[in-house]
Amino acid sequence: MPHNDDVPLPRFPETLPRPSADYVHLSSGGTSVLVDISGTPTIVHWGAALEDDADLLRSICVTSRPQRVSGGLDVTPRLGLLATGAEGWLGTPLLEGHRGAGGSSLVLRLVRIRREGSSASFELHDDERAVTATVELAVSDSGLVRQRATLRNDGDAPFELTSLLLGLPTPWDASELLDTTGHHLRERHPQRRDFTIGTHLRESRRGRPGADASVLLAAGRPGFGFETGLVHGIHVAWSGNHRVLAERTNGGESFLAGGELLLPGEVILSPGAAYESPWILGSWGDGLTELSARFHDEWRARPQHPTRPRPVTLNTWEAVYFDHSLDKLTALADIAAEVGVERFVLDDGWFMHRRDDTAGLGDWEVDPSVWPNGLHPLVNHVTALGMEFGLWVEPEMINPDSDLAREHPDWILRGRDTLPPVARQQQVLDLANPDAYRHIASRLHALLDEYPIAYLKWDHNRDLVDAGSGSGGAARVREQTLAVYRLLDELKRDHPGLEIENCASGGSRVDLGILDRTDRVWTSDSLDPLERLPNQRYTGLVVPPEMMGMHLTTPTVHSSRRTVTLELSAAVALFGHFGIEWDLTTTDAATRERIAAWIRLIKRIRPLIATGHPVHTDLADPALDARGIVADDASAALFVITQITSSAAYPPARVRLPGLSPDTRYRLRLLPAPGDSGQSELEWAQADIVLTGTALATVGVRPPTLVPQQAAVIEAIRV
Ligand code: DGJ
């Protein structure tokens, strides 16, 4: 046997033709998207940045092209930018529609590309069907990919669009899927499955994403976690019905796609009219931490992003529910100010006929039977204490038992003569009706003009079921969603500085469409810290921490009846927009001092939370949770370790604290629970300990021995 080095290498003939390829390469923030435009424009790569070398990029296009196989079409189909059945694509079509009774065949050919920096728009046209589509594709500085499309009817008869999705390819060996699901009080919990041939489809038909929505659909290498494992994911930035899917074909294509879910007859384009899809956002990373950091960077770079320190908030809902009394609320405000609260929010129950949840939605005037002098006495009291005032509203809803419904029964969304099934005794107001819209907008403007309201807690407590309008009951979810966006934009424009919280039975409307025009989201009505751990972790896949409302609970959680310590509740609420949901008038002085101490800590660390990146340790121990926020420049980090139940190990084994700069040294400090002077027996907690980022991430530290439902806070500061 000759030595390996001696084996003659086969020689390639010099005369082979060099195949050609035209391409568009968009690259920014460490991400590349490569589109082969030689035929039907097709994304051949989405992920790590590619070298911007024409020969290499052409070669990638060419080597990505499939071969013809037996039993198939002569040109093996690939997922084009707007793949349709008529062009030979046999997976889920990205574009579907028809003109009149027939004419559903669509074949769009590329007619023009406009390129600017790392963005491009592809104009595609179908002559025979007389439609023009424009697909916008951009890679932003954060490395996030944005994709959206417009479809215009160039014909002289109506064209019904039935589906428009946008897709991004995933590596074939990304064979594990992650998405989220849940229900009220348990939103955005993860579920995983094998990404086998076929389609994994998640739809929302609720007129809002819903508690069960997948905030991110991700495909990654088997076992990918937060810290490692190549993973790609998409999010549909839309607050109405949506569809998101992962598909793997027997032809070697695997991709993620998403878009708006269109109801029958919802988008019928008259001649010259156009439909614009929501943005589909795609991110990738070596682990979910890197993937989500791109979303956070992107969101934080927007000019409207809330950047002033997030005011510590007290929300009155669980403190008083509908039992509004000026004396009680002013007493609550006094204690709130004493412990350091900066924003006092009056929840549901202040307006006409709203003595419980059966009536009044739509009657947006202060109820004089409860508030004889309007809200002024409370608002004046709150602002005199140096706090901002916030007010709860639910503008998209109407109770049949309201003056508004009695005066304008035709303003209720319904697909037929009878009303849709009730939910919380309420129906949905038809905001696409210009009269209804103006009425609600003027009521909100009037409130914002009369009172110094810094913040609206904007609720939305029912799914849009059979949401139609007009005499034929035409489906109205899309129009309703656009009207809500218009209303939010109008209020923001006319009341500069106004902040709006996006709440929907807790976290039933968590999407970056609404979070582009609001300042935070109430991630769940569950204030149970243990339930909140997964909820906050997975909401944080796309939502930056400072946009997630996290509140201290009443010691016995109202929704779960679990009794928890103040320390657990506060530690779990640390990495977000901090608040309180608790009747503080029932607390003693010592408890208030402990709350105040946590609030002092919050105020110290909130710049870190507003600019840093969340990290999560992939732990083998299901009884523990370890997460942190690492400063953008890796100069510091804060970690919270939560003992959920008892661990197999006692004392617990070392926990790795990832995300810091590898060779940098950090001084480690176990923070005593604010308000508690007790010292841990843990040896390193008594010493001056310095570790490198590498040691923290790979070796880890012994956490303090915690009892179940106890948390510890560790600070790492660069030395
Ligand atoms: C549902 C919200 O999620 C709660 O926080 C509270 O505002 C109630 N609605 C009020 O009706």
Side-chain angles (χ1 to χ4, degrees), residues 252-276:
E253 302 274 313
S254 65
F255 62 96
L256 304 170
E260 185 177 0
L261 186 155
L262 300 175
L263 295 169
E266 203 167 23
V267 177
I268 299 178
L269 298 172
S270 49
Y275 164 86
E276 186 178 82

Side-chain angles (χ1 to χ4, degrees), residues 427-486:
Q427 294 287 348
V428 186
L429 186 69
D430 182 1
L431 285 179
N433 175 327
D435 295 334
Y437 177 97
R438 278 277 39 100
H439 173 81
I440 288 299
S442 64
R443 285 309 316 138
L444 292 170
H445 285 301
L447 284 162
L448 293 166
D449 290 339
E450 182 174 357
Y451 298 102
I453 295 171
Y455 179 81
L456 289 176
K457 176 177 177 183
W458 186 293
D459 212 339
H460 180 283
N461 283 301
R462 72 157 285 155
D463 293 330
L464 272 62
V465 176
D466 202 21
S469 89
S471 54
R476 273 286 191 273
V477 172
R478 172 173 174 77
E479 289 305 317
Q480 180 78 1
T481 308
L482 292 171
V484 174
Y485 285 174
R486 274 201 306 281

Side-chain angles (χ1 to χ4, degrees), residues 317 347-348 392 424 457 459 461 503 505-506 522 525:
W317 178 240
D347 208 287
D348 197 356
W392 180 95
R424 212 189 187 207
K457 176 177 177 183
D459 212 339
N461 283 301
C503 170
S505 319
W522 183 228
D525 272 350

Side-chain angles (χ1 to χ4, degrees), residues 95-139:
L95 177 65
E96 283 182 301
H98 61 99
R99 197 177 289 288
S104 67
S105 163
L106 287 162
V107 178
L108 288 104
R109 309 234 179 265
L110 183 64
V111 286
R112 187 172 301 120
I113 298 175
R114 289 192 185 83
R115 175 86 202 257
E116 205 188 315
S118 57
S119 307
S121 76
F122 301 81
E123 192 179 309
L124 302 124
H125 184 68
D126 182 338
D127 249 350
E128 195 175 328
R129 204 55 59 220
V131 291
T132 301
T134 306
V135 177
E136 295 166 73
L137 188 58
V139 182

Side-chain angles (χ1 to χ4, degrees), residues 272-283:
Y275 164 86
E276 186 178 82
S277 81
W279 284 106
I280 310 305
L281 306 176
S283 181

Side-chain angles (χ1 to χ4, degrees), residues 20-80:
S20 70
D22 286 327
Y23 66 86
V24 171
H25 177 216
L26 307 174
S27 192
S28 187
T31 297
S32 276
V33 170
L34 179 64
V35 190
D36 181 354
I37 54 168
S38 310
T40 304
T42 300
I43 300 174
V44 293
H45 169 79
W46 159 43
L50 301 171
E51 195 179 328
D52 199 23
D53 173 299
D55 280 343
L56 294 176
L57 293 168
R58 279 195 191 100
S59 297
I60 293 173
C61 290
V62 173
T63 52
S64 301
R65 291 179 191 157
Q67 188 181 336
R68 178 169 72 101
V69 288
S70 61
L73 298 173
D74 282 353
V75 177
T76 300
R78 292 193 294 168
L79 182 78

